[in-house]
């Protein structure tokens, strides 16, 4: 395993940056972002402080779910480029000391993948068992009505089963009907996955994978009905039937042992429906030999209504104490163990952080709250993941954009359609409101590069695949690169500081203070190891003070938290940019201000 200079795995200290290829940079004027466009901006990412690019799916695909429906693992979607373009990206990353990981989507394929086309061709095809096929049930009323094998409800507000007329059976799909699930119980299928989807790309030089839906490969193979929790509905949430299933750890150990481990490939798992630390630890324990780290979604999904299967977009407001409790839970769960975790607050499946946790109502609070979010994320223990546009404070779509006109995501439209067809006007209103806050589409708007037409994402006169945010002239990378007080400039500063004080912020212990305060988010970070060099024999303690509100707040007793008597410690950084806090603000936090104070001790 490749390790950094102090013996720790290199990926622990790295900053990962997710690129959504359709929306990052269009190089050829067709309205879609592409890999050559990404290569053209590689120096921008290097200067930001990025160590690893995570490229969302760029494989050949019908794009029913934006590339998460793969029809050929070894080809590139034509709008994104070619295999040569991927090779050029790998070379560009490695030439700058950066790494590249791909999105590994192997819970399911597209229904246009040659494996599935063979599987559905006949019941006797050798690949029939590479997917999950079941005969129908029939109505117990005696009317002969054909029913799906189970009552399971999938992620996109539909049944998990689709009828295939040709072979007279149903196939399983946890997501869209165009995304049939692979049968991981079949060893030949697993070997093909390892060869075609993993080794092929490792041989080309990629450095690892973010592994999509990583805990869903093992299903409860007796296929029982799920308990009825939505009265009157023929389909019911059933995550217990496919999340963290009976053979999942066996499958992941095998994949690690056979392909990922021998190549030193980093693995980051998407671990949904796993809200308890004791469930997560087996996946990320070094001794277990499964994943290097995982994305757990309790924090990023705050505000989600009900559950992710029904009422997901019936938004439920939450206070700062709820956010703090969630962060604390996932900051401390690996302490004293051989496990590792991640820090992130944005990705391609969620609304923008500044619109959900900050204040995007006007330019000043938007920028100030974006910096508070940056300081918060950069001082959390674990490997840091950023999402494109987060570093310039990109926000959600304008609230006056209509769902039926501007939203494109298959999940968003599925929930909206379900609410529309319910005939319940209040449910439809609340669903639309929730989508304006939480929808996956918000993160998929084109990147705002400059103030030229189409925000510099694509050429003037070209219609981008998704509408550019109306506010791109006020929020764009070019403008912020020239402004030392911008959100982008602050991200560069704080990412550098994170690495300079890695013992505190990447590897340090977390202790929450003032858990019930509705405005202040305050925590102590304590270095995990003694410092080497001139300060050998000492340790460090930092206090992070974040005002998550639009009002001034009195500064809490920082000195006491640092273990000092009558002193406040050394100011390490403030979101307002001063090297020294002006005297009139010494004891007061301004609206949306964050500070970090530092102390050495023995």
């Amino acid at each position: 395993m490749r390790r950094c200079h102090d013996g720790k795995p290199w990926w622990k200290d790295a900053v990962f940056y997710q690129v959504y290829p359709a929306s990052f940079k269009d190089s050829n004027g067709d309205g879609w972002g592409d890999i050559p466009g990404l290569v053209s901006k590689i120096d921008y990412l290097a200067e930001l402080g990025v160590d690893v690019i995570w490229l969302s799916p760029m494989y050949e695909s019908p794009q029913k779910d934006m590339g998460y429906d793969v029809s050929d693992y070894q080809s590139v979607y034509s709008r994104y480029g070619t295999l040569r373009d991927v090779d050029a990206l790998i070379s560009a990353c490695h030439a700058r000391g950066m790494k590249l990981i791909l999105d590994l989507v192997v819970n399911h394929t597209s229904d246009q993948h040659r494996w599935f086309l063979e599987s559905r061709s006949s019941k006797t095809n050798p690949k029939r068992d590479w997917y999950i096929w079941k005969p129908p049930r029939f109505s117990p009323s005696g009317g002969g009505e054909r029913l799906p094998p189970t009552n399971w409800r999938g992620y996109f507000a539909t049944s998990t089963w689709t009828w295939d007329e040709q072979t007279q059976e149903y196939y399983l799909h946890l997501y869209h009907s165009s995304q049939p699930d692979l049968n991981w119980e079949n060893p030949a299928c697993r070997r093909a996955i390892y060869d075609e989807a993993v080794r092929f790309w490792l041989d080309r030089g990629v450095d690892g994978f973010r592994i999509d839906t990583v805990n869903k490969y093992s299903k409860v193979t007796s296929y029982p009905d799920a308990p009825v929790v939505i009265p009157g509905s023929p389909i019911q949430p059933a995550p217990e039937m496919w999340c963290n299933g009976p053979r999942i750890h066996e499958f992941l150990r095998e994949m690690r042992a056979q392909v990922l481990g021998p190549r030193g490939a980093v693995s980051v798992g998407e671990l949904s429906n796993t809200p308890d630390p004791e469930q997560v630890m087996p996946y990320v324990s070094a001794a277990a030999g499964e994943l290097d780290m995982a994305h757990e979604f309790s924090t990023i999904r705050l505000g989600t209504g009900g559950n992710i299967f029904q009422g997901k977009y019936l938004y439920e407001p939450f206070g700062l104490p709820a956010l703090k409790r969630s962060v604390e839970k996932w900051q401390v769960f690996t302490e004293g163990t051989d496990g590792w975790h991640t820090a992130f607050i944005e990705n391609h499946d969620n609304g923008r952080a500044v619109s959900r946790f900050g204040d995007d109502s006007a330019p000043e609070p938007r920028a100030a709250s974006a910096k508070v979010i940056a300081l918060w994320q950069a001082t959390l223990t674990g490997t840091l993941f950023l999402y494109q546009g987060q570093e310039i404070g990109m926000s959600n779509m304008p609230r006056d954009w209509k769902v039926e006109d501007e939203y494109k995501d298959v999940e968003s439209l599925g929930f909206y359609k379900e609410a529309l067809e319910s005939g319940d006007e209040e449910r439809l209103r609340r669903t639309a409101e929730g989508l304006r806050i939480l929808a996956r589409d918000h993160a998929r708007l084109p990147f705002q590069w400059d103030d030229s037409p189409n925000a510099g994402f694509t050429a003037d006169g070209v219609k981008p695949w998704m509408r550019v945010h109306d506010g791109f002239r006020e929020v764009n990378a070019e403008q912020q690169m020239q402004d030392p007080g911008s959100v982008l400039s602050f991200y560069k500063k704080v990412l550098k500081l994170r690495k300079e004080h890695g013992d505190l912020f990447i590897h340090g212990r977390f202790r929450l203070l003032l858990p019930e305060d509705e405005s202040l988010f305050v925590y102590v970070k304590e270095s995990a190891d003694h410092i080497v060099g001139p300060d050998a024999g000492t340790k460090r303690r930092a206090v992070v003070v974040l005002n998550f509100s639009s009002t001034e707040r009195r500064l809490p007793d920082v000195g006491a938290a640092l273990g000092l008597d009558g002193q406040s410690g050394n100011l390490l950084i403030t979101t307002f940019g001063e090297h020294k806090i002006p005297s009139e603000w010494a004891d007061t936090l301004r609206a949306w201000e964050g500070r970090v104070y530092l102390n050495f001790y023995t």
Side-chain angles (χ1 to χ4, degrees):
M1 180 180 291
R2 291 163 287 182
R3 295 180 178 270
C4 57
H5 68 279
D6 61 358
K8 298 184 179 74
W10 63 267
W11 39 264
K12 289 190 174 184
D13 293 74
V15 173
F16 286 66
Y17 183 100
Q18 183 185 0
V19 169
Y20 198 71
S23 301
F24 193 63
K25 176 63 179 174
D26 174 19
S27 71
N28 61 4
D30 68 352
W32 283 68
D34 47 48
I35 295 168
L38 169 55
V39 173
S40 75
K41 295 296 185 180
I42 199 81
D43 287 328
Y44 166 85
L45 297 178
E47 291 166 8
L48 174 61
V50 170
D51 300 297
V52 186
I53 294 173
W54 153 22
L55 183 60
S56 291
M58 77 306 163
Y59 313 102
E60 187 61 69
S61 166
Q63 300 294 326
K64 295 293 180 65
D65 187 19
M66 290 304 297
Y68 285 90
D69 49 322
V70 179
S71 57
D72 187 343
Y73 289 109
Q74 299 182 355
S75 297
V76 177
Y77 180 52
S78 60
R79 286 188 180 272
Y80 294 156
T82 65
L83 285 173
R84 286 187 177 182
D85 291 327
V86 178
D87 292 340
L89 175 60
I90 294 168
S91 296
C93 288
H94 292 172
R96 290 161 178 79
M98 300 164 68
K99 301 182 189 297
L100 176 70
I101 67 170
L102 301 182
D103 222 313
L104 182 61
V105 187
V106 290
N107 174 73
H108 48 266
T109 68
S110 165
D111 61 359
Q112 300 305 304
H113 196 289
R114 69 181 189 283
W115 296 347
F116 187 72
L117 295 177
E118 288 187 47
S119 183
R120 78 186 312 175
S121 66
S122 76
K123 291 182 180 179
T124 59
N125 186 276
K127 288 187 174 61
R128 181 67 172 183
D129 195 40
W130 284 31
Y131 294 84
I132 299 169
W133 295 91
K134 296 294 176 185
R137 297 186 296 182
F138 293 94
S139 173
S141 65
E145 179 188 3
R146 187 184 69 232
L147 300 175
T150 72
N151 66 349
W152 298 355
R153 176 189 175 104
Y155 286 89
F156 294 164
T158 63
S159 169
T160 61
W161 299 95
T162 289
W163 176 251
D164 179 62
E165 190 67 32
Q166 180 173 336
T167 58
Q168 296 288 292
E169 285 192 325
Y170 285 89
Y171 64 86
L172 180 73
H173 52 89
L174 301 186
Y175 296 91
H176 192 263
S177 60
S178 66
Q179 296 168 284
D181 276 43
L182 287 160
N183 181 16
W184 275 69
E185 299 287 332
N186 186 308
C189 179
R190 297 201 305 274
R191 287 194 296 270
I193 290 169
Y194 302 156
D195 286 339
E196 295 200 21
V198 184
R199 288 192 181 96
F200 176 83
W201 292 105
L202 294 176
D203 288 344
R204 297 192 88 92
V206 304
D207 300 286
F209 300 91
R210 176 266 188 182
I211 309 178
D212 184 63
T213 59
V214 74
N215 58 334
K216 298 173 183 173
Y217 305 157
S218 175
K219 278 72 173 178
V220 175
T221 55
S222 58
Y223 296 96
D225 273 346
V228 175
V229 295
I230 308 175
S233 174
I235 52 175
Q236 302 292 325
E240 68 275 14
M241 303 302 175
W242 63 70
C243 280
N244 312 308
R247 296 186 68 189
I248 188 62
H249 296 293
E250 173 191 345
F251 292 155
L252 294 183
R253 285 193 297 270
E254 179 185 87
M255 182 162 61
R256 177 69 167 263
Q258 293 193 16
V259 283
L260 297 176
R263 304 295 288 273
V266 64
S267 57
V268 189
E270 181 192 27
L271 211 61
S272 62
N273 302 307
T274 310
D276 297 319
E278 57 267 28
Q279 292 177 296
V280 175
M281 184 56 67
Y283 289 96
V284 299
S285 163
E290 296 184 19
L291 301 170
D292 291 321
M293 49 189 160
H295 290 146
E296 194 283 329
F297 297 100
S298 296
T299 302
I300 200 173
R301 286 186 174 152
L302 283 170
T304 298
N307 57 60
I308 64 173
F309 297 94
Q310 197 237 2
K312 176 178 181 179
Y313 292 108
L314 301 178
Y315 183 71
E316 295 179 353
F318 59 92
L320 184 62
L323 175 64
K324 291 189 283 189
R325 286 192 294 272
S326 183
V327 172
E328 178 185 34
K329 175 180 179 179
W330 295 105
Q331 279 288 283
V332 304
F333 94 103
T334 59
E335 286 184 6
T337 74
D338 66 348
W340 191 247
H341 205 43
T342 56
F344 69 104
I345 201 61
E346 285 198 22
N347 65 17
H348 64 292
D349 281 338
N350 292 272
R352 290 290 187 173
V354 73
S355 298
R356 298 182 57 214
F357 305 98
D359 182 351
D360 66 357
S361 62
E364 186 174 342
R366 180 203 56 77
S369 62
K371 292 178 186 178
V372 165
I373 290 168
L375 188 57
W376 165 40
Q377 291 295 293
T379 54
L380 293 179
T381 298
T383 299
L384 180 61
F385 283 73
L386 304 178
Y387 180 74
Q388 64 182 47
Q390 180 179 340
E391 77 278 10
I392 61 173
M394 284 182 64
S395 58
N396 279 359
M397 296 177 181
R399 296 182 63 83
D400 60 355
W401 287 15
K402 294 182 178 179
V403 173
E404 57 269 28
D405 293 338
E406 303 295 348
Y407 288 57
K408 297 182 181 296
D409 172 50
V410 62
E411 181 191 69
S412 299
L413 296 178
F415 276 87
Y416 186 76
K417 178 182 178 184
E418 183 181 48
L420 184 65
E421 292 176 347
S422 73
D424 185 335
E425 290 295 326
E426 177 62 11
R427 180 180 177 188
L428 180 62
R429 184 196 66 78
R430 289 189 61 201
T431 299
E433 180 64 17
L435 287 168
R436 292 187 184 101
I437 301 169
L438 300 169
R440 306 199 301 181
D441 294 277
H442 298 299
R444 303 177 183 190
L445 268 60
F447 191 98
Q448 294 155 210
W449 289 106
D450 56 40
D451 62 1
S452 67
N454 285 323
F457 163 72
T458 189
D460 186 11
V462 174
K463 184 178 180 180
W465 79 276
M466 197 166 192
R467 182 175 170 183
V468 174
H469 196 290
D470 296 343
F472 72 89
R473 290 183 175 85
E474 291 73 45
V475 179
N476 63 76
E478 183 178 66
Q479 178 270 329
Q480 293 193 22
M481 284 188 280
Q482 313 305 319
D483 179 4
S486 69
V487 176
L488 177 60
S489 295
F490 186 76
Y491 261 97
K492 291 179 181 180
K493 181 178 180 180
V494 79
L495 292 180
K496 182 178 179 182
L497 196 73
R498 174 178 172 83
K499 291 183 179 179
E500 290 175 351
H501 301 274
D503 61 307
L504 276 171
F505 301 134
I506 302 174
H507 300 277
R509 289 184 287 269
F510 177 99
R511 178 163 57 90
L512 180 66
L513 304 178
L514 307 179
E516 298 306 319
D517 194 289
E518 295 285 350
S519 300
L520 297 184
F521 194 166
V522 185
Y523 48 93
V524 175
K525 294 301 296 291
E526 190 169 73
S527 57
D529 303 303
H530 280 75
I531 300 168
V532 297
D535 296 312
T538 66
K539 298 186 77 172
R540 291 190 290 176
R541 183 180 290 137
V543 175
V544 181
V545 187
L546 307 170
N547 184 3
F548 268 72
S549 78
S550 57
T551 59
E552 297 173 7
R553 286 295 308 269
R554 182 170 180 80
L555 184 73
D557 190 346
V558 171
L562 287 170
L564 298 171
D565 184 15
Q567 303 177 57
S568 61
N570 300 309
L571 178 69
L572 186 63
I573 190 173
T574 167
T575 54
F576 276 79
E578 303 100 336
H579 295 292
K580 184 178 181 181
I581 298 294
S583 58
E584 65 267 29
W585 295 107
D587 298 321
T588 305
L589 285 167
R590 286 156 283 190
W592 292 108
E593 181 182 6
R595 301 177 190 174
V596 179
Y597 292 88
L598 180 66
N599 179 38
F600 288 77
Y601 68 100
T602 57

